[in-house]
Each structure stands twice: as structure tokens, then as C-alpha cells.
Amino acid sequence: IYLEKPGAPTVKELEEMMECAEKAGIEVLMGYNKNVCKYVRKTREFAETIPGSHVTFVSNNAYENTPESLGECFERNAEGMLKNMAIHELALLVSFYDVSVENIESVVADKDFSSMQTLPGPSGKEFTDFDKIKFTIKTKTGKEVSVAADRCGGTDSYATVTDTNGEEVFRYWMPDEEDKIAVEKLQAKYPTAMPYFFTQ
């Protein structure tokens, strides 16, 4: 079974589904495509060559920065940015950076970057969510990694590596130049789809 994220509305329901699948001998996979993306692999490989380096994963969407566009987004994705858009980056932290509830030492928000709004959706009901967020997680095992997500940041996601002085020494985009050719063809074929669908 291949599940779209976040898999279930609650942790309890996800655990129940996992138990049923184990009893039935069925493999269940979650659609965290970024775990196998080229930009993640290349960034991690480069970071390993720089002692003391720091990785930041940046996720962007191409919503218009208007109350109408963001209100529609907030309503359609009512589970919130961290359980929807940024869930892919959280999966990267779990998969590659030792992040678990038990292993988090600290979470520090970048308050200058982050922004939360309360906006009406198409139904007229109000929704509160982040239109952008950035934070750094440090684990008890000494790993540190940052995530930034911006609903109005554009169509491309990327990752950066900074050295011990905080200087950026590497950036890899998704899509890269090679992938952009395929993305352009898909956008022409499916013009009403969100552009980020094609970059993963």
C-alpha cells in the first residue's frame, strides 16, 4: 500500500493501520519523495566533506501572496503547514539526522523569517497557519539541521550547506538544469497542475 502523507489524521490511527498491515503481512510505504531526490543526496554528500557544516532544507510553493490565495491554501490544507508542505522535510530529518521526539534537544524558530496568519478560506471559515516558517533542530546525539518553508517562495526547493563561519559553501536546487527540461514539458502538458508537482 502506498500512502500519501501524512498517512492518517492522527498518530493513533496510523499506529492502528500499521498493526493491521503487520498482521496481514502487507508492506505500507509513505510517499516521502524527497528522501530519494537528487538534491538531498548531493547536499548530504557535500556536507560530509565539510567538518562542522550545517544543512538547511528549503521548501517552496508558488501560491500568490494574497489573502485569497493563502486562505484557499490554508483551508484546503487544514492540517497545517508542518503536517502538509513541510512534512517532507520533517521526514528527511527523521531519516537522515536522528530526529525523533525522544531525541530532540532543542527547536529554535527563526522569528524574523517565520510568519503566521489567520485568513478566511473559500467557505468563509477562518484558518490560522504559517505562510512561512524556519527553524533549527538540535538532537541529543549532537546533530543539527534547519528547515525553511515558504508557501509563496516559488516553484523550486533547494538545500544549502554552510561552513563553521556560517558562510554558504554549497546549494543544490530541485529541479536542477537537467530536470528543468522535463518539468517544462510536463507543465505544458498539464497547465492547471501546481508546478511543484513536477519537480519531485
Side-chain angles (χ1 to χ4, degrees):
I1 297 173
Y2 188 80
L3 295 177
E4 177 59 277
K5 45 82 176 153
T10 67
V11 172
K12 184 176 187 279
E13 289 172 286
L14 197 57
E15 288 173 343
E16 289 170 356
M17 190 184 317
M18 185 175 68
E19 287 175 22
C20 288
E22 285 176 357
K23 286 178 185 173
I26 296 172
E27 186 175 17
V28 179
L29 304 170
M30 189 73 68
Y32 292 125
N33 301 341
K34 288 185 180 179
N35 277 27
V36 294
C37 280
K38 187 180 352 179
Y39 87 106
V40 171
R41 178 176 44 83
K42 289 192 174 282
T43 301
R44 291 179 56 239
E45 288 171 354
F46 186 87
E48 288 175 8
T49 69
I50 308 293
S53 63
H54 183 87
V55 172
T56 301
F57 293 105
V58 180
S59 178
N60 288 314
N61 279 167
Y63 292 95
E64 293 178 36
N65 194 1
T66 64
E68 296 77 20
S69 180
L70 287 171
E72 186 279 331
C73 172
F74 289 4
E75 182 167 343
R76 186 166 36 84
N77 302 289
E79 64 274 19
M81 180 186 267
L82 291 175
K83 288 185 179 178
N84 185 283
M85 178 183 170
I87 196 75
H88 292 280
E89 285 65 36
L90 294 177
L92 292 174
L93 305 193
V94 170
S95 298
F96 303 119
Y97 293 90
D98 254 357
V99 173
S100 68
V101 173
E102 299 80 15
N103 195 31
I104 293 174
E105 180 178 297
S106 65
V107 179
V108 178
D110 182 333
K111 295 178 182 179
D112 292 332
F113 180 91
S114 303
S115 171
M116 179 183 278
Q117 299 186 52
T118 300
L119 297 169
S123 68
K125 183 179 173 186
E126 289 193 333
F127 295 84
T128 300
D129 197 3
F130 294 100
D131 55 281
K132 59 183 182 173
I133 189 171
K134 185 175 182 183
F135 55 89
T136 299
I137 290 182
K138 187 174 183 180
T139 68
K140 294 174 184 174
T141 51
K143 295 193 177 183
E144 189 174 297
V145 61
S146 298
V147 169
D150 187 344
R151 296 223 187 255
C152 306
T155 59
D156 300 335
S157 293
Y158 61 92
T160 63
V161 178
T162 53
D163 63 18
T164 54
N165 297 316
E167 297 293 321
E168 184 178 310
V169 292
F170 181 85
R171 179 180 291 225
Y172 204 90
W173 293 86
M174 178 185 80
D176 62 13
E177 292 304 317
E178 179 185 340
D179 295 336
K180 284 181 181 179
I181 296 166
V183 170
E184 286 176 17
K185 290 177 183 175
L186 290 166
Q187 283 180 314
K189 188 173 182 179
Y190 305 102
T192 60
M194 290 299 287
Y196 64 86
F197 290 166
F198 308 124
T199 60
Q200 296 183 16

